[in-house]
């Protein structure tokens, strides 16, 4: 027996539209908090994978509970580093590339969520200016 479609083909030619209302920026930020925490954890792994000389003060602050210190330090490092050096590291170091890929994927989950907010352009611009955004901008084109 052959199954037949119950709706005429003309009825399904148009893709369904999203019926969701935009969410407030406040609600989005509350929901994205876990992803931000994960990105801060990944910044530690990304920093280690970069084989950079991590100053003792960074480790000290991290051990004292500053979970954002590696993102801050890595963003400053990437901002000062030649983009060509970052690209070469992404191509030559599989561990660094893997960590960078995971970071990019998680940051893009946040960016996709931003599209649902009522101030998406402002929120996206603000996110890309953060330490996490600077890291993302430095690595996303080559991952």
């Amino acid at each position: 027996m052959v199954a037949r479609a119950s709706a005429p083909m003309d009825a399904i030619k148009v893709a369904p539209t999203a019926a969701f209302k935009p969410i407030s920026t406040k609600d989005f930020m509350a929901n994205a908090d876990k992803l931000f925490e994960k990105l801060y954890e990944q910044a530690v792994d990304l920093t280690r994978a970069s084989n950079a000389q991590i100053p003792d003060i960074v480790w000290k602050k991290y051990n004292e509970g500053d979970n954002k210190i590696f993102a801050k330090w890595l963003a400053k490092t990437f901002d000062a580093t030649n983009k060509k050096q970052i690209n070469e590291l992404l191509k030559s170091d599989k561990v660094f590339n893997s960590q960078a890929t995971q970071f990019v994927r998680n940051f893009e989950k946040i960016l996709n969520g931003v599209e649902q907010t009522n101030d998406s352009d402002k929120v996206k611009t603000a996110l890309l200016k953060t330490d996490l955004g600077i890291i993302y901008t430095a690595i996303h084109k080559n991952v």
Side-chain angles (χ1 to χ4, degrees):
M1 177 178 224
V2 176
R4 297 192 185 263
S6 60
M9 292 306 289
D10 290 340
I12 59 174
K13 284 185 179 177
V14 179
T17 58
F20 300 109
K21 294 180 182 177
I23 62 171
S24 73
T25 303
K26 183 180 177 182
D27 289 342
F28 167 74
M29 294 304 282
N31 292 332
D33 194 42
K34 289 182 183 179
L35 276 175
F36 285 117
E37 289 303 318
K38 187 171 188 170
L39 285 169
Y40 285 120
E41 291 173 15
Q42 287 179 319
V44 176
D45 297 334
L46 194 57
T47 303
R48 287 181 181 166
S50 72
N51 294 322
Q53 292 289 355
I54 303 166
D56 291 337
I57 190 73
V58 172
W59 281 110
K60 182 179 178 189
K61 288 182 178 183
Y62 179 74
N63 290 327
E64 290 173 351
D66 185 354
N67 65 337
K68 299 175 183 176
I69 189 65
F70 276 95
K72 291 176 189 175
W73 186 81
L74 191 59
K76 286 180 185 175
T77 303
F78 278 179
D79 208 26
T81 303
N82 183 337
K83 289 183 177 151
K84 187 176 180 181
Q85 289 174 311
I86 296 169
N87 295 341
E88 288 174 9
L89 187 58
L90 284 164
K91 290 178 184 176
S92 65
D93 190 326
K94 290 180 181 181
V95 173
F96 182 77
N97 188 295
S98 174
Q99 293 294 333
T101 300
Q102 290 176 19
F103 185 93
V104 166
R105 286 181 182 157
N106 284 324
F107 195 86
E108 287 178 347
K109 285 180 187 177
I110 292 174
L111 290 178
N112 289 336
V114 166
E115 296 300 322
Q116 299 173 14
T117 65
N118 51 3
D119 289 331
S120 61
D121 290 338
K122 290 179 184 176
V123 176
K124 188 174 184 178
T125 301
L127 283 175
L128 290 172
K129 290 181 180 179
T130 65
D131 294 326
L132 297 173
I134 292 169
I135 296 167
Y136 170 79
T137 302
I139 61 177
H140 85 281
K141 289 185 179 179
N142 295 299
V143 171

